[in-house]
Amino acid sequence: TVTGANSVAVEAVKVYSGKSTLTATGASSGTTLSLATVNTDNTTFATNGSTIKGRLGKTGDLLFHLLSGVEVRSTGDLTLGTGSAATDWNLATSRAGGEAGVLTLRAAGNLLIKSNLSDGFSSATPYSTGTTPATLVDGNSWSYRLIAGADGAAADPMAVAAVAKDFILSAGKLVRTGTGDIQIASGRDIKLGDINQPALPSVIYSAGRAADPVLNFTPPLTNQRAYFTQDGGDVSLEASRDIVGTASSQ
């Protein structure tokens, strides 16, 4: 029995093994897995949500959350996207059963994030259209576990082997979420961006959600690009050697 908790989450995990390429749309086959397939599988799982909650004695418990866990495993390098916006993983609309989930990418080799991985915003890119910033969305967000040089024999999904494998986030790309947590581990280095492209920073952050209204306080207009947020998730980076990034120009 769990008492006194603000919320209780149970993660039901589906494992996709032997993958090397992650795309956003289209069919999945062989070593390629698409977000479209993941969403379909999660939606199918969520149709059993009421039955599962009933068997756990949690029917009607608003503090209980049944989450879709997605774990992708590779025996070598694992690459998300190609750098094109069409291959971004935008999880903002991935809400099977009305819940955000947990994404785990376990690469025995290098983990290469070449496109944006985003939740908590209306768009996977910094701007929704033109120079209009992407806006925060309501509710909970996905959490991520991102592992390069993963120890596939370990029970701990964050465990890494003593191997020369890196987590690499491409220049100009982002890994972000809203209220979810971001955990990154690497058998060697965590590399952010390309030191030869300082004008294209790569970023990792949690933004939280729009803050609840405060009595006698009027928030700034959206077009002023200022947001007051709360409940941002934790961000953890653990490299066996170095965390390498491009120096800020500010």
Side-chain angles (χ1 to χ4, degrees):
T1 301
V2 178
T3 58
N6 182 59
S7 67
V8 175
V10 172
E11 178 188 350
V13 180
K14 180 176 177 63
V15 176
Y16 301 86
S17 297
K19 304 302 178 183
S20 62
T21 303
L22 302 178
T23 63
T25 59
S28 299
S29 63
T31 59
T32 298
L33 175 68
S34 74
L35 178 58
T37 295
V38 170
N39 286 337
T40 297
D41 291 344
N42 288 347
T43 298
T44 300
F45 162 72
T47 61
N48 301 302
S50 296
T51 300
I52 295 171
K53 290 179 181 179
R55 290 178 177 177
L56 295 175
K58 294 298 181 179
T59 299
D61 186 346
L62 299 180
L63 300 181
F64 181 82
H65 303 276
L66 182 62
L67 309 184
S68 299
V70 177
E71 182 170 319
V72 184
R73 298 177 182 175
S74 72
T75 56
D77 292 351
L78 179 60
T79 303
L80 187 153
T82 63
S84 164
T87 62
D88 289 342
W89 271 40
N90 183 8
L91 298 174
T93 58
S94 300
R95 294 293 186 271
E99 298 279 5
V102 180
L103 174 66
T104 302
L105 304 182
R106 297 179 72 181
N110 300 304
L111 179 53
L112 310 170
I113 309 297
K114 294 187 175 182
S115 292
N116 296 319
L117 172 59
S118 176
D119 191 18
F121 288 82
S122 58
S123 170
T125 55
Y127 299 97
S128 55
T129 56
T131 59
T132 302
T135 56
L136 286 166
V137 298
D138 295 327
N140 292 330
S141 307
W142 280 69
S143 291
Y144 312 138
R145 305 184 189 104
L146 310 176
I147 308 97
D151 183 351
D156 180 2
M158 297 302 300
V160 298
V163 292
K165 302 299 179 182
D166 303 322
F167 170 91
I168 302 174
L169 177 59
S170 292
K173 300 304 175 183
L174 57 83
V175 172
R176 70 178 177 192
T177 188
T179 63
D181 297 330
I182 301 174
Q183 296 175 273
I184 301 176
S186 177
R188 186 170 60 180
D189 296 337
I190 294 175
K191 298 180 178 180
L192 307 181
D194 184 341
I195 60 173
N196 297 314
Q197 300 185 68
L200 295 173
S202 56
V203 293
I204 301 170
Y205 64 95
S206 66
R209 61 177 178 85
D212 296 330
V214 176
L215 185 65
N216 297 324
F217 175 75
T218 301
L221 298 175
T222 301
N223 60 11
Q224 292 178 326
R225 304 186 182 184
Y227 292 94
F228 288 85
T229 65
Q230 65 185 56
D231 298 335
D234 294 332
V235 177
S236 170
L237 282 71
E238 184 173 350
S240 297
R241 191 172 68 173
D242 296 325
I243 298 176
V244 182
T246 302
S248 173
S249 60
Q250 295 182 338

